[in-house]
Amino acid sequence: MKHEKFTITGMSCSACSARVEKAVNKLDGIDKASVNLLTNSMQASYDENVVSEQDIIQAVVDAGYGASPAESGSPQSAGAPQKSASDIAKEEMKAMKHRLIGSILFLIPVMYIAMHHMFYEWFGIPVPEGFQYVFHGDENAITFAFTQFLLILPIMYLNRKYYVNGFRNLFQGAPNMDSLVGLGSMAAAVYGVFAIFRMSWGMGHGDWALVAQYSTNLYFESAGMIVTLIDIGKFLEARAKGKTSTAIEKLMDLAPKQATVLRNGFETVIPVEDLVVGDEIVIRPGESIPADGVISEGTTSVDEAAITGESIPVEKQVGDKVTSATINKTGFIHITARRVGADTTISQIIKLVDEASASKAPIAKMADTISGYFVPAVITIAIITGLIWYFVMGVDAEFAFSTAISVLVISCPCALGLATPVAIMVGTGKGAENGILIKSGEALETAHAIDTVVMDKTGTITEGRPKVTDIVPLKGTKEDLVAIAAALEKGSEHPLAEAITTYASEHQLTGKTASDFKALFGRGVQAVIDGKTYYAGNTRLMDEAHIDTKAITASLNALADDGKTPLLFADDKEIIGIIAVADVEKTTSAEAIADFAKMGIHVVMLTGDNQRTAEAIRQRLHIPRVIAGVLPQDKEKHIAALQAQGHKVAMIGDGINDAPALAKADLGMAIGAGTDVAIESADAVLMRSDLLDAVSAIRLSKAVIKNIKENLFWAFFYNIICIPLAAGVLYPAFGIRLNPMIGAAAMSLSSFTVCMNALRLRFFKTTHSTDVSRETSAQEADSPKATQAAPQNPVPEVAAAPAPFHYTLSIEGMMCQHCVATVTKVLKAMDGVTDAVVDLDGQKADVSADKAISAEDFKKVITTAGYTLKNLITPKKEEDETMEKTLKIEGMMCQHCQKHVHDALAAMDGVTAVTVDLEGKKADVTTSKDIPTEDFAKVIADAGYELVK
């Protein structure tokens, strides 16, 4: 079975890609053909003994499109050289813009000529006398009509693809949206030409009633407006998509272009394409590794974030494997190449992204599906209408023909064509306003059906950079331990050392200086501070220095179980303390995962990290399923396995290693702080790097799909009412035929209704954590946690006491986010104001203050900013209902004891906050009600400790 990629040309919508796919899949010997509209490509698996490459190309050509093998440069039917998908998208966007501008320039005079009398009657817009002399009145009917005809010809020429593609697909039995647009516009133009002939006959024969009848029954403006409105919808949709197809180019840029090899004892720089297995490659600090291989000389640390996504470099020595596209950080090494060229890991990732992108079938547009039935139905109704009037009702041929044409004209596809792109445009705009960049309407449509969300760990669920989480001094104070640790680690380039030095610098604990610094590979560092030797590293280093670590084994295990990396610090005799470092969870990760669960969406965490760390995060965040130790290729396989089980899968990631999985998933969402390649591979980008925005993206998708269905209802409601009227069903009984002006108004009303309904999406509210919880979490992330394993010196409670006064201001005049920012700024600048939250949709502001503020003061500030204060709700002083107690506790010996006591107290009913001080042997407890001392004593005793009353 041969697998081959083809370039496809000539596709304009999902109906086109479905037609190509159907045509190829019908061939004998084809196992599977998958067409990607976005990349203009097709992946085909076929039996070479049954069907040939040329047979596949011919099947595509017979379907009305062009095809060529992806490796060759010229599609056989199109004759154009092969270009990248991003270049094609840019060219199409440019051509669409020019077409739209040209159409609007010609449509404006057509609309003015056709409706100048209505502009005057309805809006009081004066009509120049010279214009009336040329175009107004029955005597100018031919000039009036023929001028419109000449002006719509450029519009029809600029938009000729609708007619060419639409009628071709119609005649081939596969009508799409182009067929609907082309048929409606062409029918209007043909009817207008017919009207010109009838008016000319009327003038020649003195039948001025006939002239008057047809001069008010022209549809030239409709012929131009139909294609122009569809152009506007398509242009807005294309703008929302943005860049979507440069991921592979960026992956290729990531791979090194040259390599330094050792041949015949001399260093030679060669292109990576010339590398062969067995080459000895020289790699200096800071260089990218050009091939997969094994270190043959030297030691170093390697930043593998490009492949594994993990933020902490891995130490390597002779015999260890290294991977292409990773970065050599510190050491000078030689490696022996084991896999080169297309066999390297980075090349395999490029291939996976390419294949996953090409195999992702586009979602069929609902309007395209409906148009396949709608267009034949309208044509059938029009033909039947004409035949019934002529043969059954006995009217003349002119009446029957004009009625049939009226049916085609009134079945204007404007509302149907706008139903989807307008809702998608508003939806993507609302997403962008809230930091959710959705690249295409397909992605927005896909998100509503997601039932499984797969997340990367590092940088997605976590911050993506190590931070100090716990400080446990065993000798001296916390400040002394941090100062010594910072002096020791200052000479180290390891990221864990950087986390400690950064923490020390932020807390101004960098006063000590180290000398005789030694980096001990794979173990830690050693230096002299104030004439005394100190060590920093792992248990292996402590064993070599003959320093006993048995007493702290439980604490080390507890930290490791929490997914943290403990660093030991010792003098020449004993352990002086432990500092734990970890890649901490983002402040909103737990809330986002809980929200997904409430929506019935299953969450899976995939990570290249170890099982112990992954399990710790799973327990803290209540993630239903985690899979640890996963390589990039396996991430994509896990996505494929879930899809094979019938799940609609979203992947959220940030690293290059996530790119294949992002492309393979039904919906790829990249973290905005992630790599460019991950962002380009994804269908949506979360610019705030907040998982709650992923929740919002799926909720937004559900709202948009609901809106699209409502739009389609209104579009069809118009046709269901107007087509029977155009067919003359009321004429025999009431003498009512559809007046063209009423038809034009109805058409406009239909499009207006669709647009206004779509604009309701502007009131969509994204999912956000409360301001207090965000502030609390942010502070917790910036300082060692007291809740998990607190240091000896107590960490103050993070949540501040609430402001005692609250005001709600009704503000008039805010129109956009700039207004929100202005009002927020002036309110927060007021004396006494502690916080201000402005709601644009609700036209109000909630203000917290630590003192009373008068309505006049608020009014003065709001008015000065350019807005109007409509109402102020009287402030209410909150009563402090919380209680605080300090408990003296005996028996706590270590950090594990501290955590045990904390968890026991925090689980009590009515307890809202707990801080345990190991050194002071006490716990500060905040409660929402009065809890008897006996209850505290019982809980503490059950935990194995004693409350000192």
Side-chain angles (χ1 to χ4, degrees):
M1 195 67 68
K2 184 178 180 179
H3 185 77
E4 189 170 0
K5 183 180 179 181
F6 295 84
T7 298
I8 308 297
T9 59
M11 298 188 296
S12 63
C13 69
S14 55
C16 299
S17 59
R19 179 167 172 76
V20 173
E21 199 169 290
K22 183 179 179 181
V24 176
N25 277 320
K26 286 196 301 187
L27 294 174
D28 292 334
I30 292 289
D31 178 56
K32 182 182 179 182
S34 178
V35 178
N36 190 320
L37 177 64
L38 181 64
T39 59
N40 290 306
S41 63
M42 175 178 70
Q43 296 279 354
S45 299
Y46 62 96
D47 187 343
E48 295 178 274
N49 298 320
V50 179
V51 64
S52 67
E53 178 184 280
Q54 188 58 42
D55 293 333
I56 295 173
I57 292 173
Q58 191 58 47
V60 177
V61 173
D62 291 343
Y65 306 91
S68 70
E71 291 77 14
S72 68
S74 55
Q76 295 196 4
S77 69
Q82 183 180 357
K83 300 177 182 178
S84 70
S86 58
D87 289 338
I88 292 173
K90 288 177 183 177
E91 289 182 3
E92 290 180 350
M93 189 71 176
K94 185 178 180 180
M96 190 181 300
K97 184 177 181 180
H98 289 162
R99 188 168 69 244
L100 178 58
I101 292 173
S103 298
I104 292 174
L105 287 177
F106 283 99
L107 182 63
I108 290 173
V110 170
M111 295 299 294
Y112 185 75
I113 292 171
M115 308 181 78
H116 64 274
H117 56 289
M118 285 191 289
F119 290 153
Y120 177 73
E121 293 171 3
W122 293 356
F123 306 111
I125 299 175
V127 180
E129 288 186 11
F131 183 91
Q132 294 187 57
Y133 182 76
V134 176
F135 294 109
H136 194 67
D138 292 343
E139 66 276 12
N140 294 318
I142 296 297
T143 306
F144 173 72
F146 197 70
T147 303
Q148 294 180 55
F149 174 63
L150 291 177
L151 286 171
I152 69 161
L153 288 179
I155 299 176
M156 297 180 73
Y157 177 76
L158 287 170
N159 294 279
R160 60 192 178 277
K161 76 180 190 72
Y162 293 124
Y163 309 108
V164 175
N165 295 339
F167 282 102
R168 181 191 63 202
N169 290 327
L170 179 63
F171 295 146
Q172 291 179 346
N176 62 354
M177 183 58 72
D178 288 348
S179 304
L180 199 61
V181 174
L183 189 62
S185 177
M186 185 62 73
V190 168
Y191 183 80
V193 171
F194 170 74
I196 290 176
F197 280 102
R198 293 298 294 154
M199 286 189 295
S200 177
W201 189 91
M203 284 184 175
H205 292 76
D207 189 352
W208 292 100
L210 185 65
V211 174
Q213 175 188 341
Y214 277 99
S215 65
T216 57
N217 279 272
L218 297 173
Y219 283 95
F220 286 125
E221 78 281 1
S222 296
M225 185 167 59
I226 288 170
V227 290
T228 303
L229 285 176
I230 296 301
D231 275 346
I232 292 173
K234 286 186 174 290
F235 181 73
L236 293 174
E237 185 179 14
R239 282 192 62 186
K241 290 182 179 180
K243 292 169 61 179
T244 54
S245 308
T246 58
I248 293 176
E249 286 95 330
K250 291 200 174 186
L251 278 171
M252 290 177 175
D253 290 340
L254 179 72
K257 304 298 185 291
Q258 295 179 321
T260 303
V261 297
L262 201 60
R263 291 179 178 172
N264 301 320
F266 296 95
E267 290 187 9
T268 305
V269 178
I270 63 172
V272 291
E273 293 82 6
D274 295 341
L275 285 173
V276 296
V277 174
D279 269 342
E280 186 172 356
I281 306 173
V282 179
I283 304 173
R284 292 175 171 80
E287 292 183 346
S288 180
I289 297 174
D292 295 357
V294 177
I295 295 179
S296 57
E297 182 180 326
T299 60
T300 188
S301 62
V302 177
D303 182 355
E304 296 184 336
I307 301 300
T308 65
E310 304 309 320
S311 55
I312 300 176
V314 180
E315 293 172 338
K316 302 281 187 179
Q317 55 188 336
V318 174
D320 289 340
K321 294 180 180 179
V322 291
T323 307
S324 56
T326 57
I327 306 297
N328 179 32
K329 295 292 285 184
T330 56
F332 183 89
I333 59 172
H334 289 194
I335 72 167
T336 302
R338 290 287 181 260
R339 292 194 297 174
V340 298
D343 295 327
T344 61
T345 299
I346 188 64
S347 295
Q348 290 300 309
I349 291 177
I350 291 172
K351 181 181 178 183
L352 284 170
V353 173
D354 188 17
E355 291 183 352
S357 295
S359 65
K360 186 190 293 182
I363 299 172
K365 289 285 188 294
M366 189 179 298
D368 273 326
T369 302
I370 295 171
S371 68
Y373 299 96
F374 180 70
V375 176
V378 170
I379 295 172
T380 303
I381 292 170
I383 293 173
I384 293 174
T385 296
L387 293 175
I388 289 177
W389 277 111
Y390 185 73
F391 290 106
V392 178
M393 305 302 293
V395 300
D396 57 46
E398 180 182 316
F399 184 96
F401 177 72
S402 63
T403 304
I405 292 296
S406 294
V407 171
L408 290 177
V409 172
I410 209 65
S411 61
C412 174
C414 294
L416 183 59
L418 288 172
T420 299
V422 171
I424 288 175
M425 182 270 292
V426 178
T428 53
K430 187 65 179 179
E433 180 184 314
N434 290 278
I436 305 168
L437 301 187
I438 301 169
K439 295 184 178 180
S440 68
E442 287 85 357
L444 191 60
E445 189 174 352
T446 301
H448 88 284
I450 295 299
D451 59 24
T452 302
V453 172
V454 178
M455 301 178 184
D456 177 49
K457 178 184 77 71
T458 304
T460 301
I461 294 176
T462 65
E463 294 286 353
R465 60 184 183 275
K467 287 185 177 181
V468 172
T469 59
D470 303 86
I471 302 172
V472 186
L474 303 176
K475 181 180 179 182
T477 66
K478 178 183 78 171
E479 288 75 14
D480 291 338
L481 174 60
V482 173
I484 293 171
L488 280 168
E489 299 290 10
K490 189 174 182 180
S492 175
E493 296 180 354
H494 198 284
L496 297 183
E498 183 181 350
I500 292 174
T501 56
T502 299
Y503 177 84
S505 177
E506 290 174 351
H507 293 79
Q508 300 179 348
L509 298 172
T510 56
K512 294 185 179 294
T513 302
S515 60
D516 296 335
F517 176 85
K518 294 179 182 178
L520 307 172
F521 181 78
R523 290 159 290 169
V525 297
Q526 170 186 329
V528 174
I529 302 174
D530 296 335
K532 193 173 184 178
T533 301
Y534 287 89
Y535 303 91
N538 54 25
T539 54
R540 179 180 168 191
L541 174 61
M542 301 303 150
D543 290 341
E544 290 180 1
H546 305 293
I547 296 172
D548 186 20
T549 60
K550 293 180 181 179
I552 60 172
T553 300
S555 295
L556 297 180
N557 289 337
L559 290 168
D561 287 340
D562 280 341
K564 302 170 183 176
T565 301
L567 300 177
L568 308 182
F569 295 87
D571 56 21
D572 53 4
K573 296 180 181 178
E574 60 184 341
I575 300 290
I576 62 172
I578 306 168
I579 296 180
V581 176
D583 184 9
V584 298
E585 294 89 4
K586 291 179 180 177
T587 58
T588 56
S589 292
E591 186 176 348
I593 291 167
D595 285 347
F596 277 128
K598 293 175 183 176
M599 295 168 65
I601 296 174
H602 185 66
V603 177
V604 179
M605 183 178 81
L606 292 184
T607 177
D609 215 333
N610 61 72
Q611 183 65 42
R612 195 173 195 175
T613 300
E615 180 61 22
I617 293 175
R618 186 195 73 78
Q619 292 182 3
R620 281 199 295 271
L621 302 184
H622 305 291
I623 302 173
R625 181 186 178 194
V626 298
I627 304 174
V630 182
L631 296 176
Q633 297 88 336
D634 293 331
K635 286 186 179 182
E636 187 265 348
K637 290 176 183 176
H638 283 291
I639 298 293
L642 287 167
Q643 290 172 326
Q645 296 170 12
H647 294 290
K648 285 287 186 180
V649 182
M651 171 69 190
I652 308 175
D654 72 320
I656 292 170
N657 63 302
D658 300 318
L662 287 168
K664 180 65 177 175
D666 297 288
L667 179 70
M669 288 191 276
I671 296 298
T675 62
D676 288 344
V677 173
I679 290 172
E680 294 298 339
S681 296
D683 302 300
V685 182
L686 311 179
M687 296 304 295
R688 288 193 290 238
S689 302
D690 188 341
L691 280 180
L692 280 176
D693 286 341
V695 177
S696 295
I698 293 178
R699 288 181 52 244
L700 178 62
S701 172
K702 292 180 183 292
V704 168
I705 295 304
K706 180 182 178 183
N707 193 276
I708 288 173
K709 292 178 179 179
E710 292 169 348
N711 285 346
L712 289 171
F713 166 78
W714 287 113
F716 273 97
F717 179 78
Y718 157 76
N719 283 287
I720 289 170
I721 296 298
C722 292
I723 288 177
L725 289 176
V729 294
L730 299 181
Y731 186 77
F734 305 100
I736 298 175
R737 290 181 66 192
L738 188 66
N739 184 285
M741 294 305 170
I742 296 176
M747 181 185 67
S748 300
L749 181 61
S750 174
S751 298
F752 177 76
T753 302
V754 165
C755 292
M756 291 304 294
N757 186 55
L759 288 175
R760 291 193 307 112
L761 290 169
R762 293 178 57 189
F763 299 102
F764 174 85
K765 293 186 180 294
T766 55
T767 303
H768 289 300
S769 181
T770 61
D771 291 337
V772 173
S773 65
R774 282 183 183 272
E775 181 182 354
T776 300
S777 300
Q779 293 183 40
E780 288 175 347
D782 290 337
S783 62
K785 294 183 181 178
T787 55
Q788 293 294 330
Q792 278 183 300
N793 290 343
V795 178
E797 276 302 311
V798 189
F805 294 98
H806 293 284
Y807 304 83
T808 297
L809 314 179
S810 177
I811 302 173
E812 193 174 78
M814 296 188 296
M815 303 295 291
C816 63
Q817 290 300 321
H818 176 73
C819 300
V820 171
T822 301
V823 173
T824 302
K825 182 178 179 180
V826 298
L827 287 174
K828 286 187 174 180
M830 293 182 69
D831 182 35
V833 171
T834 59
D835 192 22
V837 179
V838 180
D839 179 3
L840 176 62
D841 294 332
Q843 293 286 294
K844 67 177 183 177
D846 292 319
V847 180
S848 299
D850 55 14
K851 69 176 186 178
I853 301 176
S854 69
E856 285 301 317
D857 289 342
F858 278 122
K859 183 177 181 180
K860 181 179 178 181
V861 168
I862 297 297
T863 303
T864 303
Y867 305 94
T868 303
L869 178 64
K870 300 293 291 184
N871 188 28
L872 171 65
I873 296 178
T874 306
K876 182 178 74 174
K877 183 81 166 60
E878 289 188 347
E879 298 297 331
D880 185 7
E881 298 179 353
T882 61
M883 302 181 66
E884 295 183 358
K885 290 188 178 183
T886 298
L887 309 176
K888 297 292 290 183
I889 302 172
E890 288 291 344
M892 295 190 296
M893 303 295 293
C894 64
Q895 191 177 15
H896 179 72
C897 301
Q898 182 186 35
K899 183 177 185 300
H900 198 187
V901 171
H902 172 275
D903 291 348
L905 291 172
M908 294 181 67
D909 181 37
V911 172
T912 58
V914 179
T915 301
V916 181
D917 180 1
L918 180 61
E919 187 177 75
K921 299 187 181 302
K922 67 177 183 178
D924 293 321
V925 182
T926 303
T927 67
S928 60
K929 64 180 183 180
D930 187 19
I931 300 177
T933 303
E934 292 74 16
D935 291 353
F936 283 119
K938 184 178 185 304
V939 168
I940 292 171
D942 290 343
Y945 307 94
E946 181 182 355
L947 175 65
V948 180
K949 298 182 181 179

